[in-house]
Amino acid sequence: MQHLGEIISLVVAVFWTITALFADKASHRLGSMTANVLRLSMAFVFLGLLLWVGIGHPYPAYASGKAWLWLGLSALVGYVFGDWCLFNCYLSIGARFGQLFMTLAPPMAAIAGWAILGETLSWKAGLAMGVTLCGIAISILSHDSGHKVHLTLPWKGVLLGLGAGLGQGVGLVLSKVGMQYYATAVPADAPAAMTAMLPFASTMIRALVGALGFLLLMALQRNLGALKQAVHDRTGMRYALIMTMFGPVLGVSLSLMAVQYTNAGIASTLMALTPVFILFPYAFLYKQRIKLREVIGVAFSMLGVALFFLL
């Protein structure tokens, strides 16, 4: 089928939009850490079933100690820190602006790749970062009659959004290192499907460590009782199940499929359209008015993401 990869990429962007909308609802109803524990725990179970069908083992087989270390670090940075920031960002400024800050993930990943892996950071990447930041600034800054520039969002939400983008980007680089160690640890006589299932096995490790990290934080805050209450909250559990299925399970699976059928840069750019797709359903659900400045800001941010992947 022609343009199959592009179509799948757009479907992924829609799925991640659904994930963001229901993560917003789950965070408000259950609390950010409770929602994350439930999401990662359910993802762990679903991924285990997927691995069982794919390679005959319901766990991340063949993973070495170094793979566990780096993937675990990526979970602590990307899930525990990054998603804690993101879900609390939803509570502060909503999923519409929260997803806008996630366009910072590619620039953050580039900087982390330069710092950790010694990857080249070109002037083109710098240009893309600048355009992305410009788009965010257009969306969240305004000026009054005295031409004084001020934030239209609370500082807390902005800082949480920046933390979410940072955690996502750095976590991605750490997971890349972990997957490299994982790939070298897989023996030659492993099932042929192991190569295709490697990302899912890696995600399962990250889900486990992330869930344990959030559980530890909840235990330190003596808030584990919130989990018991959440399990009996049918509406909250439905929100958590939907964001799990459309995020870590279907979203990740289809994103991996997309890059098999089209250029990775094109796929990444199309899958990053969530801030665009979320504008109107979010405004409709929460009866908010979309300002022209915000639309222009999102457009600039998406241009920055496109430049980042396609230059």
Coordinates of all heavy atoms in Angstrom, one line a residue, residues 128-212:
A128 N 16.9 24.3 14.4 CA 15.6 23.7 14.8 C 15.2 23.9 16.2 O 14.1 24.2 16.5 CB 15.8 22.1 14.5
M129 N 16.2 23.9 17.1 CA 15.9 24.2 18.5 C 15.4 25.6 18.7 O 14.5 25.8 19.4 CB 17.2 24.0 19.4 CG 17.7 22.6 19.5 SD 19.3 22.6 20.5 CE 20.0 21.1 19.9
G130 N 16.1 26.5 18.0 CA 15.6 27.9 18.1 C 14.2 28.1 17.6 O 13.4 28.9 18.2
V131 N 13.9 27.5 16.5 CA 12.5 27.6 16.0 C 11.5 27.0 16.9 O 10.4 27.6 17.2 CB 12.4 27.0 14.6 CG1 11.0 26.9 14.1 CG2 13.3 27.7 13.6
T132 N 11.8 25.9 17.5 CA 10.9 25.2 18.5 C 10.7 26.1 19.7 O 9.6 26.3 20.1 CB 11.5 23.9 18.9 OG1 11.7 23.0 17.8 CG2 10.6 23.2 19.9
L133 N 11.8 26.7 20.2 CA 11.7 27.5 21.4 C 10.9 28.8 21.1 O 10.1 29.3 21.9 CB 13.1 27.9 21.9 CG 13.8 26.8 22.6 CD1 15.3 27.2 22.8 CD2 13.2 26.5 23.9
C134 N 11.1 29.3 19.8 CA 10.3 30.5 19.4 C 8.8 30.2 19.4 O 8.0 31.0 19.8 CB 10.8 30.9 18.0 SG 10.0 32.4 17.3
G135 N 8.5 29.0 18.9 CA 7.1 28.6 18.8 C 6.4 28.5 20.2 O 5.3 29.0 20.5
I136 N 7.2 28.0 21.2 CA 6.7 27.9 22.6 C 6.5 29.3 23.2 O 5.5 29.6 23.8 CB 7.6 27.0 23.4 CG1 7.5 25.5 22.9 CG2 7.2 27.1 24.9 CD1 8.5 24.6 23.6
A137 N 7.5 30.1 22.9 CA 7.5 31.5 23.4 C 6.3 32.3 22.9 O 5.6 33.0 23.6 CB 8.8 32.2 23.1
I138 N 6.0 32.1 21.6 CA 4.8 32.8 21.0 C 3.5 32.3 21.7 O 2.6 33.1 21.9 CB 4.7 32.5 19.5 CG1 5.9 33.1 18.7 CG2 3.4 32.9 18.9 CD1 6.0 32.7 17.3
S139 N 3.4 31.0 22.1 CA 2.2 30.5 22.7 C 2.0 30.9 24.1 O 0.9 31.1 24.5 CB 2.3 28.9 22.6 OG 2.2 28.5 21.3
I140 N 3.1 31.1 24.9 CA 2.9 31.3 26.3 C 3.3 32.7 26.7 O 3.1 33.1 27.9 CB 3.8 30.3 27.1 CG1 5.3 30.6 26.9 CG2 3.5 28.9 26.7 CD1 6.2 29.7 27.8
L141 N 3.8 33.6 25.8 CA 4.1 35.0 26.2 C 3.1 35.9 25.6 O 2.6 35.7 24.5 CB 5.5 35.3 25.7 CG 6.7 34.6 26.4 CD1 8.0 35.0 25.8 CD2 6.7 34.8 27.9
S142 N 2.8 37.0 26.2 CA 1.9 38.0 25.7 C 2.5 39.4 26.2 O 3.4 39.5 27.0 CB 0.5 37.8 26.2 OG -0.4 38.8 25.7
H143 N 1.9 40.5 25.6 CA 2.3 41.8 26.1 C 1.1 42.6 26.4 O 0.0 42.5 25.7 CB 3.3 42.5 25.1 CG 2.6 42.7 23.8 ND1 1.8 43.8 23.5 CD2 2.7 42.0 22.6 CE1 1.4 43.8 22.2 NE2 1.9 42.7 21.7
D144 N 1.2 43.5 27.4 CA 0.0 44.3 27.7 C 0.1 45.7 27.0 O 0.9 45.9 26.1 CB 0.0 44.6 29.3 CG 1.3 45.1 29.8 OD1 2.0 45.8 29.0 OD2 1.6 44.9 31.0
S145 N -0.8 46.6 27.4 CA -0.9 47.9 26.7 C 0.4 48.7 26.8 O 0.7 49.5 26.0 CB -2.0 48.7 27.2 OG -1.9 48.8 28.6
G146 N 1.2 48.4 27.9 CA 2.5 49.1 28.1 C 3.6 48.4 27.4 O 4.8 48.7 27.6
H147 N 3.3 47.4 26.5 CA 4.3 46.6 25.8 C 5.2 45.8 26.7 O 6.3 45.5 26.3 CB 5.1 47.5 24.8 CG 4.2 48.2 23.9 ND1 3.6 47.6 22.8 CD2 3.9 49.5 23.8 CE1 2.9 48.5 22.1 NE2 3.0 49.7 22.7
K148 N 4.8 45.5 27.9 CA 5.6 44.6 28.8 C 5.2 43.2 28.5 O 4.0 42.8 28.5 CB 5.3 45.0 30.2 CG 5.8 46.3 30.7 CD 5.6 46.6 32.1 CE 6.2 47.9 32.6 NZ 5.9 48.1 34.0
V149 N 6.2 42.4 28.3 CA 6.0 40.9 28.0 C 5.8 40.2 29.3 O 6.5 40.4 30.3 CB 7.2 40.4 27.3 CG1 7.0 38.9 27.1 CG2 7.4 41.1 26.0
H150 N 4.8 39.3 29.4 CA 4.6 38.5 30.6 C 4.0 37.1 30.2 O 3.5 36.9 29.0 CB 3.5 39.2 31.5 CG 2.2 39.4 30.8 ND1 1.2 38.5 30.8 CD2 1.7 40.5 30.1 CE1 0.2 39.0 30.2 NE2 0.4 40.2 29.7
L151 N 4.2 36.2 31.1 CA 3.7 34.8 30.9 C 2.2 34.8 30.9 O 1.6 35.4 31.8 CB 4.3 33.9 31.9 CG 5.6 33.3 31.7 CD1 6.1 32.5 32.9 CD2 5.6 32.3 30.5
T152 N 1.6 34.0 30.1 CA 0.1 33.8 30.1 C -0.2 32.5 30.9 O -1.4 32.2 31.2 CB -0.5 33.6 28.7 OG1 0.2 32.5 28.0 CG2 -0.3 34.9 27.9
L153 N 0.8 31.8 31.3 CA 0.7 30.5 32.1 C 1.4 30.7 33.4 O 2.4 31.4 33.5 CB 1.2 29.3 31.3 CG 0.6 29.0 30.0 CD1 1.4 27.9 29.3 CD2 -0.8 28.6 30.1
P154 N 1.0 29.9 34.5 CA 1.7 29.9 35.7 C 3.1 29.4 35.6 O 3.3 28.4 34.8 CB 0.8 29.1 36.7 CG 0.0 28.2 35.7 CD -0.2 29.0 34.5
W155 N 4.0 30.0 36.3 CA 5.4 29.5 36.3 C 5.6 28.0 36.6 O 6.4 27.3 36.0 CB 6.3 30.3 37.2 CG 6.9 31.5 36.6 CD1 6.6 32.9 36.8 CD2 8.0 31.5 35.7 NE1 7.4 33.7 36.0 CE2 8.3 32.9 35.3 CE3 8.8 30.5 35.1 CZ2 9.3 33.2 34.4 CZ3 9.8 30.9 34.2 CH2 10.0 32.2 33.9
K156 N 4.8 27.6 37.5 CA 4.9 26.2 37.9 C 4.6 25.3 36.7 O 5.3 24.3 36.5 CB 3.8 25.9 39.0 CG 3.8 24.4 39.5 CD 2.7 24.2 40.5 CE 2.7 22.7 40.9 NZ 1.6 22.5 41.9
G157 N 3.6 25.6 36.0 CA 3.3 24.8 34.8 C 4.3 24.8 33.7 O 4.7 23.8 33.1
V158 N 4.9 26.0 33.5 CA 6.0 26.2 32.6 C 7.2 25.3 33.0 O 7.8 24.6 32.1 CB 6.4 27.6 32.4 CG1 7.6 27.8 31.5 CG2 5.2 28.4 31.8
L159 N 7.6 25.4 34.2 CA 8.8 24.7 34.7 C 8.5 23.2 34.6 O 9.4 22.4 34.3 CB 9.1 25.1 36.1 CG 9.6 26.5 36.3 CD1 9.8 26.8 37.8 CD2 10.9 26.7 35.6
L160 N 7.3 22.7 34.9 CA 7.0 21.3 34.8 C 7.0 20.9 33.4 O 7.5 19.8 33.0 CB 5.6 21.0 35.4 CG 5.5 21.1 36.9 CD1 4.0 21.1 37.4 CD2 6.2 19.9 37.6
G161 N 6.6 21.7 32.4 CA 6.6 21.4 31.0 C 8.0 21.3 30.5 O 8.4 20.4 29.8
L162 N 8.9 22.2 31.0 CA 10.3 22.1 30.6 C 11.0 20.8 31.2 O 11.7 20.2 30.5 CB 11.1 23.3 31.2 CG 10.7 24.7 30.5 CD1 11.4 25.8 31.3 CD2 11.2 24.7 29.1
G163 N 10.6 20.5 32.4 CA 11.1 19.2 33.0 C 10.6 18.0 32.2 O 11.4 17.0 32.0
A164 N 9.4 18.1 31.7 CA 8.8 16.9 31.0 C 9.6 16.7 29.7 O 9.9 15.6 29.3 CB 7.3 17.2 30.7
G165 N 9.9 17.8 29.0 CA 10.6 17.8 27.7 C 12.0 17.3 27.9 O 12.6 16.5 27.2
L166 N 12.6 17.8 29.0 CA 14.0 17.4 29.4 C 14.0 15.9 29.7 O 14.9 15.1 29.2 CB 14.5 18.2 30.6 CG 15.9 17.8 31.2 CD1 17.0 18.0 30.1 CD2 16.1 18.6 32.4
G167 N 13.1 15.4 30.6 CA 13.1 14.0 30.9 C 12.9 13.1 29.8 O 13.5 12.0 29.6
Q168 N 11.9 13.5 28.9 CA 11.7 12.7 27.7 C 12.9 12.5 26.8 O 13.2 11.5 26.3 CB 10.5 13.3 26.9 CG 10.1 12.5 25.7 CD 9.3 11.3 26.0 OE1 8.9 11.1 27.1 NE2 9.0 10.5 24.9
G169 N 13.5 13.7 26.6 CA 14.7 13.7 25.6 C 15.9 12.9 26.2 O 16.5 12.1 25.5
V170 N 16.2 13.2 27.4 CA 17.4 12.5 28.1 C 17.1 11.0 28.2 O 17.9 10.2 28.0 CB 17.8 13.2 29.4 CG1 18.9 12.4 30.1 CG2 18.2 14.6 29.2
G171 N 15.8 10.7 28.7 CA 15.5 9.3 28.8 C 15.6 8.5 27.5 O 15.9 7.4 27.5
L172 N 15.3 9.2 26.4 CA 15.4 8.5 25.1 C 16.8 8.1 24.8 O 17.1 7.0 24.3 CB 14.8 9.5 24.0 CG 14.8 8.9 22.6 CD1 13.9 7.7 22.5 CD2 14.4 10.0 21.6
V173 N 17.7 9.0 25.1 CA 19.2 8.7 24.8 C 19.6 7.6 25.7 O 20.4 6.7 25.3 CB 20.0 10.0 25.0 CG1 21.5 9.7 24.9 CG2 19.6 11.1 24.0
L174 N 19.3 7.6 27.0 CA 19.7 6.6 27.9 C 19.1 5.2 27.5 O 19.8 4.2 27.6 CB 19.2 6.9 29.3 CG 19.9 8.1 30.0 CD1 19.2 8.5 31.3 CD2 21.4 7.9 30.2
S175 N 17.9 5.2 27.0 CA 17.3 4.0 26.5 C 18.0 3.5 25.3 O 18.1 2.3 25.1 CB 15.8 4.2 26.3 OG 15.5 5.1 25.2
K176 N 18.5 4.4 24.5 CA 19.2 4.0 23.3 C 20.5 3.2 23.7 O 20.8 2.2 23.1 CB 19.6 5.2 22.4 CG 20.4 4.9 21.2 CD 20.6 6.2 20.4 CE 21.5 5.9 19.1 NZ 21.8 7.1 18.4
V177 N 21.2 3.8 24.7 CA 22.4 3.1 25.2 C 22.0 1.7 25.8 O 22.7 0.7 25.5 CB 23.1 3.9 26.3 CG1 24.3 3.2 26.9 CG2 23.5 5.3 25.7
G178 N 20.9 1.7 26.5 CA 20.5 0.4 27.1 C 20.1 -0.6 26.1 O 20.5 -1.8 26.2
M179 N 19.4 -0.2 25.0 CA 19.1 -1.1 23.9 C 20.3 -1.6 23.2 O 20.3 -2.8 22.7 CB 18.1 -0.5 23.0 CG 16.7 -0.3 23.5 SD 15.5 0.4 22.3 CE 15.5 -0.9 21.1
Q180 N 21.3 -0.8 23.1 CA 22.6 -1.3 22.4 C 23.2 -2.4 23.2 O 23.7 -3.4 22.7 CB 23.5 -0.1 22.3 CG 23.1 0.9 21.2 CD 23.9 2.2 21.2 OE1 24.7 2.4 22.1 NE2 23.8 3.0 20.1
Y181 N 23.3 -2.2 24.5 CA 23.8 -3.3 25.4 C 22.9 -4.5 25.4 O 23.4 -5.6 25.4 CB 23.9 -2.8 26.8 CG 25.1 -1.9 27.1 CD1 25.0 -0.6 27.5 CD2 26.4 -2.5 27.0 CE1 26.1 0.2 27.7 CE2 27.5 -1.7 27.3 CZ 27.4 -0.4 27.6 OH 28.5 0.4 27.9
Y182 N 21.6 -4.3 25.3 CA 20.7 -5.4 25.2 C 20.9 -6.2 23.9 O 21.0 -7.5 23.9 CB 19.2 -4.9 25.3 CG 18.2 -5.9 25.6 CD1 17.0 -5.5 26.2 CD2 18.4 -7.3 25.5 CE1 16.0 -6.5 26.5 CE2 17.4 -8.2 25.8 CZ 16.2 -7.8 26.3 OH 15.3 -8.7 26.7
A183 N 21.0 -5.5 22.8 CA 21.2 -6.2 21.5 C 22.5 -7.0 21.5 O 22.5 -8.1 20.9 CB 21.3 -5.1 20.4
T184 N 23.6 -6.5 22.1 CA 24.8 -7.3 22.1 C 24.7 -8.5 23.0 O 25.5 -9.4 22.8 CB 26.0 -6.4 22.5 OG1 25.7 -5.9 23.8 CG2 26.2 -5.2 21.5
A185 N 23.8 -8.5 24.0 CA 23.7 -9.6 24.9 C 22.8 -10.7 24.4 O 22.8 -11.9 24.9 CB 23.1 -9.1 26.2
V186 N 22.1 -10.5 23.3 CA 21.2 -11.5 22.7 C 22.0 -12.6 22.0 O 22.8 -12.3 21.1 CB 20.2 -10.9 21.8 CG1 19.3 -12.0 21.1 CG2 19.3 -9.9 22.5
P187 N 22.0 -13.9 22.4 CA 22.8 -14.9 21.8 C 22.3 -15.2 20.4 O 21.2 -14.9 20.0 CB 22.6 -16.1 22.7 CG 21.2 -15.9 23.3 CD 21.1 -14.4 23.5
A188 N 23.2 -15.8 19.6 CA 22.9 -16.1 18.2 C 21.8 -17.1 18.0 O 21.1 -17.1 17.0 CB 24.2 -16.6 17.5
D189 N 21.6 -18.0 19.0 CA 20.6 -19.0 18.9 C 19.2 -18.6 19.5 O 18.3 -19.4 19.7 CB 21.0 -20.3 19.6 CG 21.3 -20.1 21.1 OD1 21.4 -18.9 21.5 OD2 21.5 -21.1 21.8
A190 N 19.1 -17.3 19.8 CA 17.8 -16.8 20.3 C 16.8 -16.8 19.2 O 17.1 -16.9 18.0 CB 18.0 -15.3 20.8
P191 N 15.5 -16.9 19.6 CA 14.4 -16.9 18.5 C 14.6 -15.7 17.6 O 15.0 -14.6 17.9 CB 13.2 -16.7 19.4 CG 13.5 -17.3 20.7 CD 14.9 -16.9 20.9
A192 N 14.3 -16.0 16.3 CA 14.5 -14.9 15.3 C 13.6 -13.7 15.5 O 14.0 -12.6 15.2 CB 14.1 -15.5 13.9
A193 N 12.5 -13.9 16.2 CA 11.6 -12.8 16.5 C 12.2 -11.8 17.6 O 11.7 -10.7 17.8 CB 10.2 -13.3 17.0
M194 N 13.3 -12.2 18.2 CA 13.8 -11.4 19.3 C 14.3 -10.1 18.8 O 14.1 -9.1 19.6 CB 15.0 -12.2 20.0 CG 15.5 -11.5 21.2 SD 14.3 -11.4 22.5 CE 14.8 -9.9 23.4
T195 N 14.8 -10.0 17.6 CA 15.2 -8.7 17.1 C 14.1 -7.7 17.0 O 14.2 -6.6 17.4 CB 15.9 -8.9 15.7 OG1 17.0 -9.8 15.8 CG2 16.3 -7.6 15.1
A196 N 12.9 -8.2 16.5 CA 11.8 -7.3 16.4 C 11.2 -7.0 17.7 O 10.6 -5.9 17.9 CB 10.7 -8.0 15.5
M197 N 11.3 -7.9 18.7 CA 10.7 -7.8 20.0 C 11.6 -7.0 21.0 O 11.2 -6.7 22.1 CB 10.3 -9.1 20.6 CG 9.3 -9.9 19.8 SD 7.8 -9.1 19.4 CE 7.1 -9.0 21.1
L198 N 12.8 -6.7 20.6 CA 13.8 -6.1 21.5 C 13.2 -4.7 22.0 O 13.4 -4.5 23.2 CB 15.1 -5.8 20.7 CG 16.3 -5.3 21.6 CD1 16.7 -6.4 22.7 CD2 17.5 -5.0 20.7
P199 N 12.6 -3.9 21.2 CA 12.1 -2.6 21.8 C 11.0 -2.8 22.8 O 10.9 -2.1 23.8 CB 11.6 -1.9 20.5 CG 12.3 -2.5 19.4 CD 12.5 -3.9 19.7
F200 N 10.2 -3.9 22.6 CA 9.1 -4.2 23.6 C 9.7 -4.7 24.9 O 9.2 -4.4 25.9 CB 8.2 -5.1 22.9 CG 7.5 -4.6 21.7 CD1 8.0 -5.0 20.4 CD2 6.5 -3.7 21.8 CE1 7.4 -4.5 19.3 CE2 5.8 -3.2 20.6 CZ 6.3 -3.6 19.4
A201 N 10.7 -5.6 24.7 CA 11.4 -6.1 25.9 C 12.1 -5.0 26.7 O 12.0 -4.9 28.0 CB 12.4 -7.2 25.6
S202 N 12.7 -4.0 26.0 CA 13.3 -2.9 26.6 C 12.3 -2.0 27.3 O 12.5 -1.5 28.4 CB 14.1 -2.1 25.6 OG 15.1 -2.8 25.0
T203 N 11.1 -1.8 26.7 CA 10.1 -1.0 27.2 C 9.5 -1.7 28.5 O 9.1 -1.0 29.5 CB 8.9 -0.8 26.2 OG1 9.5 -0.2 25.0 CG2 7.8 0.1 26.8
M204 N 9.5 -3.0 28.5 CA 9.0 -3.7 29.7 C 9.9 -3.5 30.9 O 9.4 -3.3 32.0 CB 8.9 -5.2 29.4 CG 8.2 -6.0 30.4 SD 8.1 -7.8 30.0 CE 7.1 -8.4 31.4
I205 N 11.2 -3.5 30.7 CA 12.2 -3.2 31.7 C 11.9 -1.8 32.2 O 11.9 -1.5 33.5 CB 13.6 -3.3 31.2 CG1 13.9 -4.8 30.9 CG2 14.6 -2.7 32.3 CD1 15.3 -5.0 30.3
R206 N 11.8 -0.8 31.3 CA 11.5 0.6 31.7 C 10.2 0.7 32.5 O 10.1 1.5 33.4 CB 11.5 1.5 30.5 CG 12.9 1.5 29.7 CD 12.8 2.5 28.5 NE 12.9 3.8 29.0 CZ 12.2 4.8 28.5 NH1 11.3 4.6 27.6 NH2 12.3 6.1 29.0
A207 N 9.2 0.0 32.0 CA 7.9 0.1 32.7 C 8.0 -0.4 34.2 O 7.4 0.1 35.1 CB 6.8 -0.7 31.9
L208 N 8.7 -1.6 34.3 CA 8.9 -2.1 35.7 C 9.6 -1.2 36.6 O 9.2 -0.9 37.7 CB 9.6 -3.5 35.6 CG 10.0 -4.1 36.9 CD1 8.8 -4.5 37.7 CD2 10.9 -5.3 36.7
V209 N 10.7 -0.7 36.1 CA 11.5 0.3 37.0 C 10.8 1.5 37.2 O 10.8 2.1 38.4 CB 12.9 0.6 36.3 CG1 13.7 1.6 37.1 CG2 13.7 -0.7 36.2
G210 N 10.1 2.0 36.2 CA 9.3 3.3 36.4 C 8.2 3.1 37.4 O 8.0 3.9 38.3
A211 N 7.4 1.9 37.3 CA 6.4 1.7 38.3 C 6.9 1.6 39.7 O 6.3 2.1 40.7 CB 5.6 0.4 37.9
L212 N 8.1 0.9 39.9 CA 8.7 0.7 41.2 C 9.1 2.1 41.7 O 9.0 2.4 42.9 CB 9.9 -0.2 41.1 CG 9.5 -1.7 40.9 CD1 10.8 -2.6 40.7 CD2 8.6 -2.3 42.0

